Amino acid sequence: LLVTCSSGSLNINRHMVVRGLAVSFGDYETEEGEAKAARRGLWGGEFVVPSEWRNRLRTEGTHEEPHFSSFFQGLFVVE
């Protein structure tokens, strides 16, 4: 289930994808491509889309810690 969140005329889903704060899921592929090209948010460093990371985990049977992009370094304590 995917819902669209809005505030007045602002489409929050699109807004987050454009700024690199969310990945597209079914919609907003163009916006995600623009965010990737501009290296915004998640795309500013190393980032693996969660579904790809889970698939790798299943097929390779290995567990590697997720890498935080430089965008998130200031938001979370990474040890």
Side-chain angles (χ1 to χ4, degrees):
L1 175 66
L2 184 65
V3 300
T4 301
C5 298
S6 61
S7 177
S9 62
L10 176 67
N11 179 323
I12 296 170
N13 302 45
R14 180 183 178 283
H15 184 80
M16 290 182 68
V17 171
V18 165
R19 281 157 183 73
L21 302 174
V23 295
S24 65
F25 184 77
D27 289 329
Y28 316 114
E29 289 88 6
T30 301
E31 290 85 348
E32 183 178 284
E34 292 169 6
K36 283 181 183 179
R39 302 188 57 76
R40 290 186 206 118
L42 298 168
W43 312 110
E46 292 183 34
F47 177 72
V48 178
V49 177
S51 60
E52 291 177 19
W53 185 81
R54 288 189 301 271
N55 286 337
R56 247 192 257 164
L57 184 63
R58 284 186 204 107
T59 58
E60 296 174 8
T62 60
H63 178 74
E64 66 180 62
E65 292 298 317
H67 299 281
F68 289 94
S69 75
S70 58
F71 174 79
F72 289 107
Q73 292 293 331
L75 300 177
F76 300 102
V77 175
V78 180
E79 299 177 355

